[in-house]
Amino acid sequence: MATTPSSPKTSRAGSALAIVALAIVTLATTGVARGHSELVSADPAPSSVIPESPTRLVLFFSEAVDPASVRLRLFNSSQREIALGPAHLDATGQVLTAAVPALDPDTYTVDFAVVSAVDGHPTASLYAFLVDPSGSRPPPAPPVAEPTTPVDPGAVAARWVVLTAALLLVGTVLAWTVHRRSLPSAAIRRPPWAWLAILAAIGLVALTAHVLLAAHAAYQLTGVLGGVVGIDVVAPFGWTSYGIAMRVGLIALALVLAVATLSAVLAMRGVAARNADDGRVALALCGAGAVATILALSWTGHASSLGGPVWALVDAVHLLAIAAWFGVLPAIGLIAWRSRGDDPGAREVARIGLRAHAPVALIAAPIVILTGLANSPLVVDESRELAASSYGNLLLAKALLVSIALGLGAANFFLARSHRRRPLLGIAAVEVAIAALAIAVGTTMVSVEPATGRPPATVNPRLGVAHLYGEGGESRVHGIVNLPEPGVQSYSFAVSDVASGADRQDVAQVVLTFIPPTGSDLGTEVVLTEPTAQPWIWEAQGAFTPVVGTWTLDVEVRRGRLASDEISLQLPVRRVLHATPLPPDTTGSQALGTLAALTGPLPEGNAAWLLPIALLAAAAGALAWERQRDRRGQTMGRTARWLRIGLVVAAVMTGASLTARAVVAEANRTPALWEAAVNPLADDPEAIAAGSEVYRANCSSCHGPTGAGDGPTADDLVRPPDDLAGIVPHRLDGELAWTIGAGIAGTQMPAFGTTLLEDERWELISFLRDQWPLAQP
């Protein structure tokens, strides 16, 4: 909400705030940008084991898919491609289906690439499933790599230029429509056709570049997207929602360029009428074209894809309010520049324009905030996602920038009433710069996966599979036990030759002898395995290990008339706790946690906010004192003015840090379900020793061998780990389990939910509790 002249010192204060905000945005934007037509589920499911060949592949996506962009392939374990039937989409465009021929027992990899019909972003990924009639083989592991979703920085920058040009077009049309009658001369009242034509040309070129770069990224990933047809640069995207929206934007900008150029030519030749209403129709056409461009951009955003047309309209209102708030300010500067040399002069014209704009900004600013808040639940489903996702970090950075701009606007509203001669447009220029940063952040958010699209954490299924290796005589065995826990389990043994390493073709039988753990009253059990289609692989299934402990598994490989080979293996059997759902396993930008740490010494709760309030009060007092001295004809010293600026900056930074601290605390709050959880292995004497191994392998590198935060990699962290002796005694077991599994948002503490089984996490807690008992309340 801008409005008026400022002193050089105030302008410098605004510049300092802008620099701080830019630094925060730069840190907050770290992270991996991801695509938007994400795979939600599939049949067969990723990492699943199915007993027989499927008849079709079905992939379910989060957004509608461009049918011309689909690439779907299936490979077996030998990387031989399996011919699929034609892939087709359902009426929603989100379900992709292809017929599958009869598949032999094997591991198969689905390789797919698609382009979103909503925003034009490409996505490519792969997953595996296993066809196993015996049910004894472990499921295939999830892919290590994230989905490939190239986001061209050039395409993001081009979209930012288009949006900025459209906002400036709307702001310029609004400024001349509202203020032209109050302008001092007919020459100044004439709309700035050349300026409008330049903005339209820049927007048209940038939008063309954005579409071409998006098409190039899609082609590089899918290899099947069509090419440009004639002058239709949007042809690769067909008549999808994205393709239609981009065509609307291009046509609208071309219309503005044509109307503004023609009007400029007519004005230069003196053809236009001389009255004050010159160009009203042409100006309205330019405004309509700019609004249509903004609508097209909103139609390809997250609000549209997640909420539909109504929310696309809400997003458009959000952008139009930004245009009314910020987009008018450069136009007022242009009016002032065109008034130079005239009476009453550029400064006074700018003052008049800024004072007239203040009421409009007071209405537009709340609309910007309210529409932004309305859209937030669509893209950030839970409070944790504000701190734990790149998208949430960007949203916070944008909110910070808008808050700073709102503060400057509020100051300008009051300064506009002042009759002191101050440098015009100083604070307004800073306000526009901050707005440009906020728009850049918002544009980047369009190219980042919204927080609501982040999949929950999943445990690698291979973590629950035991691999046993041993050799005896002339045979070597590789056993796979899925899962090594009490109950019915699957056993598979592959036999190879010790000397050559080749698979044995002469195995007549594999006999398993299960010897229970020491101290158990169970007897020994002998089990005959069953042959498979491969003569070197033998399998069994049953409840052969009913108690927890280390079993001895003797494997006898019988080879017809030849002597048998005997191998003794150790099989640890434990209680495998099946995974409790956890949030996505990323913890967001470290910048948020670093910002939150600045106010670490302040007390918790609302009492901490007394500090920024006191700083603002001191700054207001200093300003009142300065104005009182001005009325007396006394001047303030430079030190006093810098002190006032420092108080404002300190108040803003303190408030931002307290906000970050509250967001991080809410993100890391333990859910009630986990807080009430009890360690199921608390009475297991072996859990402490097992937890010690888990700690040594996963935690000691940062926390150190004694938990003091002095591990070998601690010095490489932005914030060294805290001493566990001051944390563990004051946390319940469930709170520790949640923190270990979900990580700590805003820090470098990773989430172990995808790398440790749930019982391994409870074993770790048993070890931590043994080292640091729970303190008394």
Side-chain angles (χ1 to χ4, degrees), residues 319-400:
L319 294 176
L320 291 173
I322 291 175
W325 182 2
F326 298 116
V328 174
L329 298 181
I332 293 175
L334 180 59
I335 291 173
W337 181 78
R338 292 175 70 176
S339 302
R340 65 194 188 283
D342 293 343
D343 187 44
R347 288 192 175 189
E348 187 59 28
V349 169
R351 177 189 293 279
I352 294 171
L354 289 170
R355 289 189 67 177
H357 174 61
V360 176
L362 280 175
I363 297 173
I367 294 176
V368 170
I369 295 171
L370 291 175
T371 51
L373 291 174
N375 275 336
S376 295
L378 291 175
V379 291
V380 182
D381 189 28
E382 298 181 358
S383 58
R384 176 180 170 82
E385 296 307 304
L386 281 172
S389 68
S390 297
Y391 191 94
N393 294 165
L394 286 169
L395 186 61
L396 288 172
K398 181 181 176 182
L400 174 62

Side-chain angles (χ1 to χ4, degrees), residues 327-642:
V328 174
L329 298 181
I332 293 175
L334 180 59
I335 291 173
W337 181 78
R338 292 175 70 176
S339 302
R340 65 194 188 283
D342 293 343
D343 187 44
R347 288 192 175 189
E348 187 59 28
V349 169
R351 177 189 293 279
I352 294 171
L354 289 170
R355 289 189 67 177
H357 174 61
V360 176
L362 280 175
I363 297 173
I367 294 176
V368 170
I369 295 171
L370 291 175
T371 51
L373 291 174
N375 275 336
S376 295
L378 291 175
V379 291
V380 182
D381 189 28
E382 298 181 358
S383 58
R384 176 180 170 82
E385 296 307 304
L386 281 172
S389 68
S390 297
Y391 191 94
N393 294 165
L394 286 169
L395 186 61
L396 288 172
K398 181 181 176 182
L400 174 62
L401 291 171
V402 171
S403 299
I404 293 174
L406 185 61
L408 288 174
N412 291 342
F413 178 79
F414 294 104
L415 290 173
R417 271 62 186 162
S418 171
H419 294 286
R420 296 182 58 200
R421 298 184 62 84
R422 298 173 182 268
L424 297 174
L425 305 176
I427 294 182
V430 176
E431 200 173 347
V432 170
I434 292 177
L437 284 174
I439 294 169
V441 173
T443 305
T444 306
M445 289 166 65
V446 177
S447 299
V448 176
E449 181 191 21
T452 50
R454 301 204 313 150
T458 56
V459 176
N460 186 332
R462 287 190 182 275
L463 291 173
V465 177
H467 292 264
L468 309 177
Y469 301 91
E471 60 181 55
E474 299 179 11
S475 297
R476 178 183 294 117
V477 297
H478 172 199
I480 299 175
V481 183
N482 181 28
L483 294 167
E485 63 174 349
V488 177
Q489 305 302 330
S490 299
Y491 301 83
S492 176
F493 284 86
V495 185
S496 59
D497 183 73
V498 171
S500 65
D503 297 326
R504 299 206 72 102
Q505 305 287 333
D506 58 348
V507 179
Q509 179 60 265
V510 174
V511 180
L512 307 179
T513 302
F514 291 86
I515 303 174
T518 303
S520 171
D521 56 359
L522 296 175
T524 299
E525 183 173 3
V526 178
V527 176
L528 298 179
T529 59
E530 298 290 335
T532 66
Q534 291 79 26
W536 61 89
I537 298 179
W538 294 72
E539 298 173 341
Q541 188 172 8
F544 308 128
T545 56
V547 298
V548 172
T550 301
W551 289 68
T552 300
L553 180 57
D554 290 339
V555 181
E556 181 184 2
V557 179
R558 298 175 179 174
R559 296 182 286 122
R561 297 180 179 178
L562 302 177
S564 298
D565 298 324
E566 296 183 357
I567 304 100
S568 183
L569 305 171
Q570 298 298 304
L571 173 60
V573 175
R574 60 184 180 182
R575 187 184 299 107
V576 176
L577 303 175
H578 297 280
T580 303
L582 288 168
D585 58 346
T586 55
T587 54
S589 170
Q590 302 160 29
L592 194 63
T594 303
L595 182 62
L598 296 179
T599 51
L602 294 181
E604 298 291 337
N606 295 330
W609 285 94
L610 294 175
L611 177 59
I613 292 173
L615 291 171
L616 286 176
L623 179 60
W625 183 35
E626 178 184 349
R627 296 189 65 177
Q628 184 178 8
R629 291 177 64 90
D630 285 343
R631 284 193 294 268
R632 296 174 181 173
Q634 300 172 329
T635 58
M636 292 290 296
R638 180 171 297 181
T639 302
R641 291 177 179 174
W642 276 112

Side-chain angles (χ1 to χ4, degrees), residues 729-730 732 774-777:
H730 307 287
L732 300 174
L774 184 66
Q776 294 298 321

Side-chain angles (χ1 to χ4, degrees), residues 692-713:
S692 174
E693 297 298 323
V694 174
Y695 179 89
R696 184 180 297 110
N698 297 277
C699 312
S700 61
S701 60
C702 294
H703 288 284
T706 63
D710 55 354
T713 63

